[in-house]
Amino acid sequence: ALNILRLNNDAHDKLIEVLKAQEVSMRQQSGKYINEYELLNISIDKGGKSAELMILAFKPDVSSNELYASYLLGAFVQLYDDWADYYQDIDEGVQTVYTNNYWTYDDLINFANYLISAYQNKNYHEYANAIKYLISLKHLAEYKRERDKNA
């Protein structure tokens, strides 16, 4: 079935890593306590490896710096998604850095500002702009959170 995707070797290997990261993330629903460091690593790895897979699938000649920049962007997107899914995750018993009260929206913005600064210093302006754009959509994420809260 994977042959249909016609992934290059690097992308294929990354797909395996994504599947493993997804498997590890199932621990978030186990009901067993997970500390902040582990929860953060689960989200970062899940989002980061997914973003790496996407760039490797569509741009096989990616540099190691660009691959790492993609990893960090994916990590941010996953952490942003975790924040947006807060009430849904509470209802479903999913542990995240937000549901366990380790992180707040301010922590997410601090991470975003760090990434924006790092990306601009390395001339990865498109990555910085992607993060700025996601932050600008906060009202949509807040709408989803409120809808989930009232569901």
Side-chain angles (χ1 to χ4, degrees):
L2 292 178
N3 290 339
I4 293 171
L5 298 175
R6 299 192 193 286
L7 296 174
N8 62 57
N9 288 339
D10 289 337
H12 180 270
D13 293 346
K14 193 57 64 177
L15 175 61
I16 301 302
E17 290 180 31
V18 168
L19 295 173
K20 287 179 182 175
Q22 182 63 35
E23 186 177 326
V24 168
S25 77
M26 298 307 291
R27 290 189 54 232
Q28 293 174 282
Q29 300 173 28
S30 70
K32 294 180 181 176
Y33 170 78
I34 304 174
N35 68 41
E36 178 182 8
Y37 177 79
E38 291 175 281
L39 286 172
L40 197 55
N41 279 330
I42 287 170
S43 291
I44 287 172
D45 226 26
K46 187 170 146 185
K49 289 185 183 303
S50 295
E52 286 179 326
L53 170 61
M54 286 184 250
I55 198 166
L56 285 168
F58 296 104
K59 186 180 177 190
D61 60 338
V62 66
S63 73
S64 60
N65 285 341
E66 193 170 9
L67 191 63
Y68 185 63
S70 297
Y71 181 89
L72 292 175
L73 178 60
F76 173 78
V77 170
Q78 183 61 51
L79 288 166
Y80 189 87
D81 180 70
D82 290 348
W83 179 80
D85 289 345
Y86 176 82
Y87 290 106
Q88 179 182 347
D89 288 343
I90 290 282
D91 288 345
E92 295 174 2
V94 177
Q95 295 181 72
T96 69
V97 291
Y98 305 105
T99 61
N100 284 21
N101 297 315
Y102 296 128
W103 271 40
T104 65
Y105 186 75
D106 289 340
D107 295 307
L108 180 65
I109 294 303
N110 288 339
F111 182 53
N113 288 331
Y114 165 77
L115 291 178
I116 289 167
S117 175
Y119 286 147
Q120 288 173 336
N121 288 339
K122 298 218 181 264
N123 285 330
Y124 286 126
H125 299 288
E126 64 276 12
Y127 291 93
N129 290 336
I131 290 175
K132 289 176 188 176
Y133 179 70
L134 282 171
I135 291 169
S136 77
L137 298 177
K138 181 183 179 194
H139 65 284
L140 294 176
E142 286 174 333
Y143 171 79
K144 182 196 182 314
R145 282 173 60 114
E146 192 61 30
R147 187 189 68 212
D148 291 347
K149 181 180 178 182
N150 296 322

